[in-house]
Amino acid sequence: PARFKKGSDILVAAIDQYLASSARKDILFAVQWLEDFQTPEGEWVRIPERLKQDLRFRQINHLFADGEYANWLAKTSLMILPYGLEYALRGSRVLVEAMIHGIPSVVTRNTTLESHGLEFGAAVSCNQNSIADLTKTIQYSIDNLSKLRDEAERRAVTATECFSVRHFRKLLLEAS
């Protein structure tokens, strides 16, 4: 399933590890997780019960209503996208929205997301499928959030222009 390819299992495990080792109370991780899913090997992936009980974690278990996604995006300080290499050459609407809103991101190394995030946003890269590396990357990003946010906000105008309909239309007209 797409959730597995997008690293949802790695994300939740890394958040769990980070929160288990952090005493910070001024943090909230929100993850849209509609239902548990199976890996290609048939193993079920579930959010650990202790994570569900942690007040610093929120499971969004429904599809967003009109305007709800925009509200969550407006409250987001860091977008974490540990996509697998199946997404190495794909783009991400979520990453584009983070970049145009000046939100720093965590992305997987050696992917288009990394290239876009480094050029148009403030991206911090992590290794694919590594819970330990993603946990360290989350820690680094939170510790350096102010600097990353400043960089992301400086690049937001460029990201907005680059990913605009006008720019894509111009590219299409130039190609024909």
Side-chain angles (χ1 to χ4, degrees):
R3 287 166 293 173
F4 181 73
K5 293 176 182 175
K6 290 184 176 181
S8 298
D9 55 330
I10 304 297
L11 174 63
V12 166
I15 291 170
D16 189 34
Q17 280 190 8
Y18 173 80
L19 291 177
S21 67
S22 174
R24 289 184 70 139
K25 301 290 184 205
D26 63 337
I27 197 161
L28 174 67
F29 287 92
V31 176
Q32 188 179 34
W33 186 287
L34 303 181
E35 60 188 1
D36 298 336
F37 61 93
Q38 288 182 288
T39 67
E41 295 78 29
E43 295 178 40
W44 280 97
V45 179
R46 296 177 170 87
I47 297 174
E49 202 55 44
R50 84 172 159 265
L51 187 57
K52 288 181 179 182
Q53 301 304 318
D54 195 312
L55 296 176
R56 300 168 295 170
F57 178 83
R58 172 133 350 122
Q59 176 186 357
I60 302 166
N61 59 5
H62 60 274
L63 296 174
F64 289 122
D66 285 344
E68 188 178 1
Y69 176 74
N71 289 338
W72 276 107
L73 195 62
K75 295 186 269 188
T76 299
S77 299
L78 179 68
M79 188 68 71
I80 307 170
L81 304 169
Y83 290 8
L85 290 184
E86 297 89 348
Y87 279 77
L89 299 177
R90 297 184 189 183
S92 166
R93 172 188 58 83
V94 176
L95 178 62
V96 170
E97 290 171 344
M99 292 184 305
I100 66 175
H101 286 90
I103 301 168
S105 58
V106 172
V107 295
T108 306
R109 253 185 208 90
N110 302 317
T111 63
T112 302
L113 275 68
E114 180 185 43
S115 299
H116 287 161
L118 292 173
E119 184 173 353
F120 301 106
V124 181
S125 304
C126 65
N127 293 324
Q128 179 202 13
N129 292 332
S130 173
I131 296 166
D133 191 58
L134 181 56
T135 304
K136 285 192 294 188
T137 304
I138 291 170
Q139 177 70 59
Y140 172 86
S141 300
I142 291 170
D143 290 347
N144 293 280
L145 195 55
S146 179
K147 179 181 81 162
L148 290 168
R149 186 70 182 218
D150 289 346
E151 182 180 346
E153 288 174 352
R154 277 195 310 275
R155 293 180 172 177
V157 172
T158 303
T160 301
E161 175 55 33
C162 181
F163 292 97
S164 69
V165 172
R166 187 178 76 209
H167 181 71
F168 281 115
R169 184 174 179 270
K170 178 182 171 208
L171 292 173
L172 290 172
L173 291 174
E174 289 173 359
S176 49

